[in-house]
Amino acid sequence: MNFWASVGFTLVGALIGGILTFYFTRKKFEKELKENPPINEKMIRAMFLQMGRKPSEAQIRQIMKLVNSNR
């Protein structure tokens, strides 16, 4: 084999590896989002109710603002 054939095989291998890595990483990320969805206002209300408190809309908006600012 010559030099250019080995360079070509290396590039093709890197390209295939990159595509496979992208595919499997995306599938793993989608699975994690499905199992652990991001927090929303409904979840915050449920947490407050479990603590025995009735949250106001201002409290919910404040917590959502804090959660979104930390992302």
Side-chain angles (χ1 to χ4, degrees):
M1 284 196 338
N2 61 19
F3 174 74
W4 293 111
S6 63
V7 169
F9 288 135
T10 303
L11 290 177
V12 169
L15 182 64
I16 291 172
I19 291 170
L20 288 174
T21 301
F22 174 76
Y23 175 77
F24 287 116
T25 302
R26 189 182 73 192
K27 287 292 183 185
K28 175 80 171 161
F29 185 72
E30 289 173 354
K31 180 183 172 209
E32 288 292 323
L33 275 179
K34 187 181 288 185
E35 291 175 358
N36 304 309
I39 193 164
N40 58 24
E41 292 178 7
K42 188 176 178 182
M43 291 178 179
I44 293 172
R45 281 188 185 92
M47 286 189 290
F48 268 89
L49 291 174
Q50 286 176 352
M51 292 187 295
R53 296 181 55 196
K54 176 82 171 117
S56 67
E57 283 299 314
Q59 288 174 324
I60 293 173
R61 280 194 303 265
Q62 181 184 17
I63 292 172
M64 284 300 295
K65 187 177 171 184
L66 284 171
V67 168
N68 290 332
S69 69
N70 289 330
R71 285 187 182 182

